[in-house]
Amino acid sequence: MRAIGYARVSSREQIDGTSLESQETMIRQYAALKGMELVDVLVDAGVSGGKPLASRPEGARLAEMVGSGEVQAVIICKLDRGFRSASDCLNNVEAWEKDSVSLHILNLGGQSIDTSTPTGKFFITIMAGAAELERNMINERCNEGRKARKAEGKRIGELPYGYDLADDGKLVENETEQRALTIIRDMKNAGSSLRTIANHLNEHGYTPKKSPVWTHGHVQSVLRRAA
């Protein structure tokens, strides 16, 4: 049986030290234990699990290999390495089953399963739904947190130009940047180009937050946010 391995980490997980190497090692060990011929281990680094498998760079390649009949098994370490959406998981598993391709998950609730067995199919259905529920609950808690911070007047996301962050987490006006904002609005309303505005700000000693000089792109970004 020819198999293809798949590993994934998101950007945050990479920063936190989640190891792609350990996923690949586990996949190779499993394939050797089961006597499978491992064609390759495809890796999506810095890719969100919320994206459907086929829309990820290496996920799309995996789908092509399965569809071409090149492999008969797909191996992943955990369910969330491959899928975060129950529908995406089950749709892929069903399509692969028609091509006689099974999904092997090395750690699903503490045990390995494959969808070529009735037990495997049952567990993948239950666990895919549970994984999606968990993801939706996390998103809901994050949204509630953002709403609460907004209601309290606290910062949400990137610090906007014209404001500083106070010790209590609330936004306070930056006088110099507020003057720059007034200049930007007035010059734009008078018909000045973005580049002209940027040059004017640079000539008068104003600076954007994350750059030593203004560019037309910085001016455009500030205007969009102000709008």
Side-chain angles (χ1 to χ4, degrees), residues 18-27 77:
T18 299
S19 174
L20 286 169
E21 290 78 8
S22 65
Q23 291 185 51
E24 183 172 351
T25 297
M26 291 174 63
I27 290 170
C77 287

Side-chain angles (χ1 to χ4, degrees), residues 107-145:
N107 185 356
L108 187 64
Q111 61 181 338
S112 63
I113 70 162
D114 72 81
T115 58
S116 65
T117 68
T119 301
K121 290 180 185 178
F122 173 78
F123 273 109
I124 194 69
T125 301
I126 299 300
M127 296 304 293
E132 182 169 355
L133 175 62
E134 179 183 14
R135 176 169 173 260
N136 290 338
M137 290 177 67
I138 291 173
N139 289 339
E140 184 176 357
R141 288 196 294 269
C142 290
N143 288 334
E144 290 300 322

